[in-house]
Amino acid sequence: MLALYREGVAVNQLNEGETGVVVLDDTPFYAESGGQVGDRGVLQSVHGIFAVEDTQKIQAAVFGHHGVVKTGALTVGNGVAARVDVLARTRTMRNHSATHLMHKALREVLGDHVQQKGSQVDPDKTRFDFVHNQPLTNAEIRRVENIVNAEVLANTANECRVLPIAEAQKLGAMMLFGESTATPCASSTSARRANCAAAPTSSAPATSASSASPPKAAWRPACAGSRRSPATTR
Ligand SMILES: [Zn+2]
């Protein structure tokens, strides 16, 4: 643990029952980005357990784990095992993939002018905002639903590749708002290439969260919507 915050103020220790923010030198947690909610989970040290209720970026490569100390205490410099809530993450990943499928299906049914204007993806639902010149008809909604459902039922295998952004776009990668950076990952979720270009800040999975070295780029799944990523590290 590199830093702890209580009510926005840096502290050396968080005690049982206190809410706060934990910064690690490396993390498997996904911070809210591209419309996708931050991960939940647990940080466990020999001295205490911290329940992570949300993960938010403090800076581009510094993630804040927001939550509460369930037992014991956390102290700066101590090591923790960081475990993402895998059930919530995988549900969110499915909805993230569904968002890309819906984006593609809407473009097929309504036209290429359909672009994402906003999005909210969590374990329970996905919402996709777009501009169109009139309300969708019931027939159009059914066509979009049928296309998405057919792709879901096809259950095509995922593939994740890290490519230069131009190459990814040549393969048909489509970004959701807020997903693009210089090192995108194009992940084909289906034959329709409802791809995802998202933003890894580092390509290697986290292996340790125990030293007090300066913060390096926190790892998160290149596209949490389609990549099978390690959700546990220590
Ligand atoms: Zn994506």
Side-chain angles (χ1 to χ4, degrees), residues 135-145:
L136 271 69
T137 65
N138 286 336
E140 287 168 337
I141 292 171
R142 269 197 300 278
R143 281 175 63 201
V144 170
E145 287 176 346

Side-chain angles (χ1 to χ4, degrees), residues 93-111:
M93 288 166 68
R94 285 195 288 271
N95 285 336
H96 186 131
S97 291
T99 310
H100 282 283
L101 296 176
M102 186 159 55
H103 186 189
K104 186 79 169 87
L106 283 164
R107 288 166 71 92
E108 280 189 35
V109 172
L110 302 177

Side-chain angles (χ1 to χ4, degrees), residues 29-113:
F29 282 68
Y30 182 90
E32 181 172 325
S33 175
Q36 177 168 329
V37 296
D39 275 334
R40 314 191 292 237
V42 170
L43 305 179
Q44 187 163 9
S45 82
V46 291
H47 305 291
I49 296 174
F50 184 80
V52 179
E53 291 156 357
D54 192 16
T55 308
Q56 295 281 333
K57 289 179 188 174
I58 296 173
Q59 295 170 21
V62 181
F63 293 4
H65 306 77
H66 296 245
V68 61
V69 181
K70 287 292 181 190
T71 61
L74 303 186
T75 306
V76 171
N78 284 356
V80 291
R83 294 197 180 82
V84 172
D85 180 337
V86 175
L87 186 64
R89 163 79 78 81
T90 50
R91 286 169 62 108
T92 304
M93 288 166 68
R94 285 195 288 271
N95 285 336
H96 186 131
S97 291
T99 310
H100 282 283
L101 296 176
M102 186 159 55
H103 186 189
K104 186 79 169 87
L106 283 164
R107 288 166 71 92
E108 280 189 35
V109 172
L110 302 177
D112 286 345
H113 62 281

Side-chain angles (χ1 to χ4, degrees), residues 96 100 176 179 196-198 223:
H96 186 131
H100 282 283
L176 294 181
E179 283 192 322
C196 172
C223 173

